[in-house]
Amino acid sequence: MKLFCFLSLLAMGLSAFGQSAAAVTKIRITMQLPITSPLSQNLVRFKEKIEVESNGDLVVEIYPAAQLFTDKEVPAAVASGQIEMGSSSLLRFAGTIPAVDVFSVPFLFNSIELVQAATDPDSKIRRLIDKAMADKGARPLWWQPYGLTVLLTRDKPVTHPDHMKGLKIRTFGKSLELFVNTVGGAATNIAGSRQYLAYERGTVDGGMTGMLSVEERKLYDVMDHLSMTHHSDIEFVVVINERFWQQLSEAHRTIMMKAARQVEKELRVEFEKIEEAATQSAIQNGLTIHYLNAEEEAAWHAVSAPLREFYIQNAGDIGKQLVAAADELRDTLRD
């Protein structure tokens, strides 16, 4: 009898353990940057929040530094369900949704104030892009700022469009490729994680990136000059597989959305200081910083103006809506 009771209790314990284990949902997130990056730490804060709020029912595993997928592989990997979540440059989704390239249209988003308004979770721009991405199988949970675009070169600075002639330049999106080619350069699409090697080997003469990337990837070790052209905005986006998302309970979706809003706001608030610290670090490590004067800035604007129409033609109706929304925001901020 005692043996029977013992076995019954053991069976009940094993059953309870099995139910508890089954209740745990594991979420893997792939990330391009090292775990020390502010964007990766932003994911760590998300992980901590949802694991606590779900009482351990949601468990997050973060794979930084492109351990599982490169930047350009993330959209397909998440949309197909190879991994539950991922963070990558927004532009990597342009292959299936050309409209997301709007943040690379030269000088359309060239101020922090305009970027902050455009990337607000409730802005028309965000709503249009988020819906288009979710429809393709990768639902955005939140966006991560990576700063305005700068231009790195080795032997001499590039502050005027004429300086680009004959240079091979690393880019990361269709609009930026066209931008470089329009001013006489030769655009080469290279993943962010492979920038350093491309500069070191001389595969390219220069490259476009964010200030934070210069610091995180120590690009000042292989390049000499940096021009603050600020001709476009770089955004990362954290996405989740749509089918996986729909299978989660409403309670778990609510926990994740609340945490996503919180960590996005935290990073936006912190980012200006993060970017300034990266700039000072680059200067201390020998990189010469160049700021455009009024004449140089006007020249860049003039040569790139026709590219806006090209973007609209390529992106279709949603692209037209996004550009109109950007212009509305600019007018509002100006007033």
Side-chain angles (χ1 to χ4, degrees), residues 107 110 159-161 228-230 291-304:
F107 302 102
N110 61 338
T159 58
H160 190 280
M228 294 286 196
T229 49
H230 290 172
Y291 294 87
L292 305 185
N293 59 39
E295 182 183 351
E296 290 167 338
E297 189 167 339
W300 283 109
H301 279 257
V303 76
S304 62

Side-chain angles (χ1 to χ4, degrees), residues 131-257:
K131 182 181 185 306
M133 292 176 66
D135 289 346
K136 293 292 184 179
R139 171 184 290 267
L141 289 186
W142 78 97
W143 289 27
Q144 298 176 306
Y146 206 63
L148 296 173
T149 310
V150 298
L151 183 57
L152 285 164
T153 47
R154 183 175 291 103
D155 299 322
K156 57 183 180 180
V158 170
T159 58
H160 190 280
D162 290 345
H163 299 163
M164 289 280 278
K165 292 178 180 176
L167 296 183
K168 292 179 290 184
I169 301 294
R170 177 260 172 174
T171 59
F172 48 90
K174 292 294 182 184
S175 289
L176 294 180
E177 288 178 20
L178 185 61
F179 181 36
V180 170
N181 294 335
T182 296
V183 296
T188 303
N189 196 313
I190 296 173
S193 58
R194 294 171 183 166
Q195 275 187 93
Y196 188 101
L197 206 55
Y199 299 146
E200 185 179 45
R201 291 177 174 176
T203 305
V204 290
D205 302 304
M208 296 178 178
T209 192
M211 198 68 235
L212 189 54
S213 181
V214 177
E215 164 65 15
E216 292 178 333
R217 303 187 190 282
K218 302 187 185 304
L219 301 181
Y220 43 69
D221 286 344
V222 287
M223 302 302 270
D224 304 320
H225 299 276
L226 185 149
S227 298
M228 294 286 196
T229 49
H230 290 172
H231 52 278
S232 64
D233 174 53
I234 307 171
E235 296 290 326
F236 274 59
V237 59
V238 181
V239 292
I240 187 168
N241 175 267
E242 180 65 14
R243 292 188 300 276
F244 179 78
W245 173 256
Q246 294 300 336
Q247 290 168 4
L248 293 171
S249 69
E250 184 176 349
H252 284 170
R253 289 200 297 265
T254 299
I255 288 171
M256 292 178 71
M257 283 305 305

Side-chain angles (χ1 to χ4, degrees), residues 19 91 118 130 168 191 223 251 273 279 291 311-312 315 330:
Q19 290 173 4
L91 291 182
D130 285 358
K168 292 179 290 184
M223 302 302 270
K273 291 181 180 178
T279 302
Y291 294 87
Y311 162 78
I312 293 174
R330 189 183 297 276

